[in-house]
Amino acid sequence: MKRKYVRGKPMNWFKRSLLAKLLAGMLISTIIPYTLSNIISYKTTSDSVKKQVIDLNLDQMSLSMENVKRYMQELNRVSVSFYYDQTLMQYLRSKEIVPAQSLFITTQVDNLYNTRSEFRATRYMSALSGQSFMKYNNSQVGINVHMPPMAIPGKEDREWKRTHRYEVAYVDKEKVLALHQLLVDYPRPETLGVLSLYIGMDEIGTILRTGLSEGNDVFLYIQDDLKLLYDSGGGAAMEPAAVNELVAGRTQGSFKGDFNGQHGVFVYMKDHYMELPLTLVKFVPSAAINESANRTLGRSLIIQMAAIAFVLVTAFLLSYFTISPVKRLLRSIARVETGNFRIERPSGREDELGVLEQRFQTMIHNLDDLMNREYRNRLELTSAQLKMLQAQINPHFLYNTLQSIGTLALRHGSEEVSDKIGELGAILRYSMDLQTETVPLKLEIEHIEHYLSLQTGRFKNRLSYTLTCPNEALCIEVPKMILQPLVENSIVHGMEKGRGTGTLHIGIEWDEALVIRMIDNGKGISQDVMDGIRKQYEEDRLHYGEESGIGLLNVLKRLRLYYGDRFAWSMESTPYEATEIVLTVDTGAADKEGSN
C-alpha cells in the first residue's frame, strides 16, 4: 500500500517529536551565535580590508602621480629645446621665411618628433609669418597638420598658458596629450609662435598600469573640467554620477559606485603640475576588496562547521537515550506503513509520550475510516457508472441504425439528409467514446464542425460562424470535449434566449501558448453570473443544481486538472455586442517539437 502524505504532517510531527525539538533547539542555540559572530566578523574584516585597500591604492597612486609629473617635466624640457638653438631662434624671428630657413625649421621639427617614440606629431605655428611646420608619422615635413588652428596671443599671456597649454586631442582617432609651448622672444614679451607636441599614451599608460591588480581600472583626467586623458579599460568611461563625485570631492578620498557592470570603490587623488590640474582615479571591484575577508570567513566556517557537527552528534545521543520509549510508537508507525491499521493499545502513560501515543492511535483510526469511506464512495461511483452505461443504447446498434437510415435517404435522393445523419453519427461516436481522455486538436475541431453543421441546418440563416486554426496546432493533444460545451452555451444561452440570431467566431492561435477564443454577439452574460462562475472556479466546486455556466465550469475544471498552473482563462461580455471567452494553455517546447 502506498503511503499518503497530508499537508502539515511534517510540522505536526515536529510539534510532537521530542527528538526533533531537542535537536532543533541545540542547533538553533549553536547556529545563531555562530551566524551573528560570522556576520560581525565579516563586516569588521570587510571594513578593515576596505580601508587597507584604499590606503594602499592611495600610496600607489601617489607614487604614480609623482612619476606622471616627472614625465610631464621631461616633456616640458623637450618643448623648450628650441631656445637652445640660436640659429633656429634667429630664423623664427623672421617675418618672411625664405626656403632655406623653412627647410632648417622643418628639419628641427622633424628631429624633435624623432626624440621620443610616443610622439604622434609635432607642429610649429609662426605668429609672425603665419606659416605652419609639422611632422606627422611618416608624412613629409612642411605639410600643414589637419588639426584645428590655434589663436596665438601677440604677447606672453599667463591665462592662455593656463587654459591652452595642455589639452586632450586626437591624432588618427587616437587620444593624445597635446602640449602647446608658447615661444616668447625673451627678454621682450612678443610671441614668436607655438610649438605643439602630440604625445601618445604609451609612457603614461606604462606608468599608471604599474602595480595595477587584475580587475582594477585606472583613469587620468586633466584640467578642472575633468577631460579624460587615459583609461586602462580600453574606452570604457566612468558614469556621470561618478565624475560628479570627483568634481565635488576633496584632494583625495574614495566613494562607492559602479563601473562596467561591477560594484566597487573609486579611489581618487588630485594634484597639479605647474598650472595643470591632474586627477588620478582607480576603480577597485568589491570582489577584490572582499577576497581577503572571504578567506578569513571561510577558515572560520570550517572550524564552526566542525563544532556544529560535534554539537549535533552530542545532541542526538542525548536525545536518543532520553526518548527511547518512543521506539514503541515507531513500531506502530511501521505497521501502518505496511497497511496494517491494527496497532497496539496505548500504554496509559500520562506524560507527553502517552499523549502522543493516544493522538497517534486516534489519527490512525480516523485515517482507517477515511480510507474505508473513500473506498466505498469509489465503489458506489463505479456502480453508478455501470448502471448508466447499461441504461444507454448500445452504440453499435445506434451506429448501424443511423447508417441504415442514411442509406435509405440516399435511395430516395435525400443527400442532405444522409449527410446530416452521417454528421450526427460522427458526433455520437466521438462523444460516446468514454475510454479516450485526450485527442489531437484536429479531431476536436472536426467534431465541432459536425456539431455546427447540424446547428446551421437547424437555424438556417439565423446562425453563422467562422473557425480559424493554424495547421501547426492541429497535432496538439488536448482534453476531449472542451469546445462543444462552449459553442453550445453560445447558441443556447446567447442566441436562443436572445434575439434568435447570432454570429459565432472560434479563433485558435498558437505561438508560445495555445489560445482559444470563443466570441459571439448573443444575449451575453450578466456581471453577477460571471462573478458567480469565477467564484465557483476559485472554490473548485460545481453547483449541479444550476444550469447557467455549468458547461463552462466543467471545461475550466478539466483544463485546470490537466494543465495545472499552465492554464489561464478570462471572460468579458457586452450584451448583443461581444461575449468573449479566452482559454490560454502554455503548451511548452515539447508540444511544439512534436508538431514539427
Side-chain angles (χ1 to χ4, degrees):
M1 179 180 293
K2 295 183 179 179
R3 296 182 61 182
K4 294 189 177 181
Y5 294 91
V6 182
R7 176 177 287 183
K9 281 298 186 289
M11 182 57 67
N12 291 336
W13 175 83
F14 176 80
K15 290 180 179 179
R16 297 183 176 94
S17 173
L18 294 177
L19 176 61
K21 289 180 179 179
L22 287 173
L23 289 177
M26 291 185 179
L27 286 176
I28 291 174
S29 62
T30 304
I31 291 176
I32 290 180
Y34 282 157
T35 303
L36 291 177
S37 66
N38 283 336
I39 294 174
I40 296 173
S41 175
Y42 181 79
K43 180 64 177 175
T44 304
T45 305
S46 179
D47 292 343
S48 175
V49 170
K50 179 180 177 180
K51 186 178 183 304
Q52 293 177 6
V53 169
I54 292 174
D55 293 342
L56 177 61
N57 278 280
L58 284 174
D59 292 340
Q60 293 178 348
M61 292 167 65
S62 177
L63 180 61
S64 299
M65 184 69 81
E66 291 300 322
N67 291 333
V68 170
K69 290 164 64 175
R70 280 196 293 269
Y71 178 67
M72 299 289 284
Q73 187 175 5
E74 293 178 9
L75 296 177
N76 188 61
R77 284 198 297 266
V78 174
S79 69
V80 299
S81 61
F82 276 17
Y83 283 112
Y84 305 127
D85 191 330
Q86 296 302 320
T87 303
L88 176 61
M89 292 298 296
Q90 182 179 354
Y91 289 164
L92 297 181
R93 294 188 183 98
S94 301
K95 294 184 179 180
E96 294 184 3
I97 301 176
V98 299
Q101 294 174 340
S102 177
L103 178 61
F104 187 83
I105 294 173
T106 54
T107 301
Q108 297 305 314
V109 172
D110 190 8
N111 292 337
L112 184 62
Y113 172 82
N114 294 322
T115 55
R116 301 191 74 95
S117 61
E118 66 267 24
F119 285 178
R120 300 296 184 261
T122 55
R123 176 175 65 174
Y124 174 73
M125 297 177 62
S126 175
L128 301 178
S129 65
Q131 290 181 268
S132 179
F133 308 88
M134 59 87 61
K135 173 64 177 178
Y136 171 64
N137 288 343
N138 295 323
S139 64
Q140 297 295 326
V141 293
I143 300 177
N144 289 333
V145 180
H146 296 290
M147 295 177 182
M150 180 178 299
I152 304 174
K155 295 183 179 181
E156 185 175 12
D157 188 342
R158 186 177 183 84
E159 181 63 22
W160 187 95
K161 288 184 177 180
R162 189 183 68 82
T163 58
H164 291 83
R165 187 170 185 182
Y166 296 95
E167 66 177 1
V168 178
Y170 289 88
V171 175
D172 261 356
K173 300 181 180 180
E174 178 187 359
K175 185 182 294 185
V176 298
L177 171 65
L179 168 57
H180 305 295
Q181 179 65 48
L182 196 65
L183 297 183
V184 182
D185 191 11
Y186 294 113
R188 297 185 303 163
E190 284 78 10
T191 301
L192 298 177
V194 175
L195 177 63
S196 299
L197 305 178
Y198 296 89
I199 305 106
M201 294 294 101
D202 305 351
E203 188 66 24
I204 291 179
T206 301
I207 294 173
L208 297 181
R209 286 195 299 270
T210 302
L212 189 65
S213 302
E214 183 179 355
N216 294 4
D217 292 275
V218 64
F219 308 87
L220 179 62
Y221 296 87
I222 64 173
Q223 303 295 357
D224 291 327
D225 54 354
L226 296 182
K227 297 295 184 183
L228 179 60
L229 177 63
Y230 173 79
D231 67 275
S232 62
M238 291 169 52
E239 297 180 357
V243 177
N244 293 336
E245 287 277 357
L246 292 176
V247 174
R250 299 171 297 174
T251 56
Q252 69 178 33
S254 64
F255 58 90
K256 296 179 181 179
D258 297 321
F259 175 72
N260 254 355
Q262 297 185 81
H263 185 69
V265 176
F266 290 95
V267 185
Y268 66 90
M269 173 177 290
K270 298 180 180 179
D271 206 340
H272 287 78
Y273 170 71
M274 299 179 67
E275 296 181 350
L276 174 65
L278 297 172
T279 303
L280 186 59
V281 185
K282 182 182 288 187
F283 175 75
V284 184
S286 296
I289 297 176
N290 297 331
E291 183 178 358
S292 178
N294 290 336
R295 286 198 300 267
T296 303
L297 181 62
R299 289 192 292 267
S300 176
L301 283 177
I302 294 175
I303 298 174
Q304 292 180 8
M305 290 300 294
I308 291 175
F310 175 79
V311 171
L312 180 63
V313 172
T314 304
F316 179 80
L317 293 176
L318 291 175
S319 301
Y320 179 80
F321 289 110
T322 301
I323 60 172
S324 56
V326 85
K327 292 182 179 180
R328 182 172 180 271
L329 181 60
L330 294 177
R331 290 195 296 270
S332 299
I333 295 175
R335 288 184 180 179
V336 173
E337 288 179 340
T338 61
N340 184 1
F341 289 90
R342 297 182 178 275
I343 60 176
E344 300 177 12
R345 296 179 61 84
S347 60
R349 297 176 53 163
E350 297 181 357
D351 57 6
E352 293 85 354
L353 292 176
V355 173
L356 180 62
E357 285 184 308
Q358 292 176 2
R359 293 187 177 180
F360 176 76
Q361 186 180 43
T362 302
M363 180 186 67
I364 295 303
H365 289 164
N366 293 338
L367 181 61
D368 189 20
D369 292 341
L370 177 63
M371 293 184 64
N372 288 333
R373 285 198 302 270
E374 184 178 355
Y375 182 71
R376 287 194 296 270
N377 290 339
R378 288 183 176 273
L379 288 178
E380 291 173 0
L381 179 61
T382 303
S383 177
Q385 290 176 342
L386 289 174
K387 292 179 180 179
M388 179 188 67
L389 292 176
Q390 290 172 356
Q392 290 179 343
I393 301 176
N394 187 289
H396 295 288
F397 170 76
L398 180 61
Y399 302 152
N400 294 336
T401 302
L402 289 175
Q403 186 175 4
S404 299
I405 296 173
T407 303
L408 183 61
L410 285 176
R411 290 177 181 175
H412 289 79
S414 299
E415 295 182 0
E416 182 178 0
V417 174
S418 177
D419 293 340
K420 298 303 179 182
I421 291 175
E423 291 174 346
L424 177 60
I427 290 174
L428 293 175
R429 184 178 296 107
Y430 185 80
S431 59
M432 295 179 69
D433 181 7
L434 301 178
Q435 296 181 350
T436 303
E437 296 182 0
T438 61
V439 294
L441 184 58
K442 178 180 179 181
L443 295 182
E444 189 72 4
I445 291 175
E446 290 177 354
H447 172 69
I448 203 63
E449 285 179 334
H450 291 321
Y451 178 79
L452 285 171
S453 176
L454 292 178
Q455 291 288 16
T456 52
R458 171 190 172 196
F459 289 98
K460 303 300 180 183
N461 296 330
R462 290 181 296 150
L463 172 64
S464 61
Y465 75 92
T466 59
L467 192 153
T468 61
C469 178
N471 292 332
E472 55 269 20
L474 296 176
C475 296
I476 298 177
E477 291 285 331
V478 296
K480 186 179 176 183
M481 296 292 290
I482 61 172
L483 295 181
Q484 181 180 333
L486 305 183
V487 174
E488 188 173 353
N489 277 350
S490 296
I491 295 175
V492 174
H493 300 290
M495 192 184 81
E496 290 185 353
K497 295 183 179 181
R499 296 171 178 168
T501 62
T503 300
L504 174 66
H505 172 69
I506 306 168
I508 300 175
E509 306 165 9
W510 187 51
D511 186 8
E512 296 297 330
L514 177 66
V515 180
I516 300 175
R517 301 180 188 274
M518 196 76 60
I519 306 173
D520 68 75
N521 61 350
K523 181 181 179 181
I525 307 174
S526 67
Q527 188 63 44
D528 292 340
V529 174
M530 288 193 294
D531 292 341
I533 293 174
R534 292 190 181 98
K535 182 178 180 181
Q536 293 178 39
Y537 176 81
E538 293 297 331
E539 293 176 353
D540 194 16
R541 61 190 178 90
L542 294 176
H543 296 280
Y544 290 99
E546 302 175 5
E547 179 182 358
S548 177
I550 292 302
L552 173 60
L553 276 172
N554 182 271
V555 171
L556 297 178
K557 182 177 179 181
R558 290 173 57 215
L559 288 172
R560 180 170 63 181
L561 289 173
Y562 190 78
Y563 293 106
D565 293 338
R566 295 187 295 153
F567 168 66
W569 67 282
S570 64
M571 176 172 51
E572 301 292 338
S573 179
T574 302
Y576 299 110
E577 290 186 11
T579 297
E580 180 180 19
I581 298 175
V582 181
L583 310 178
T584 304
V585 175
D586 182 5
T587 56
D591 290 339
K592 184 171 288 189
E593 292 174 1
S595 65
N596 289 336

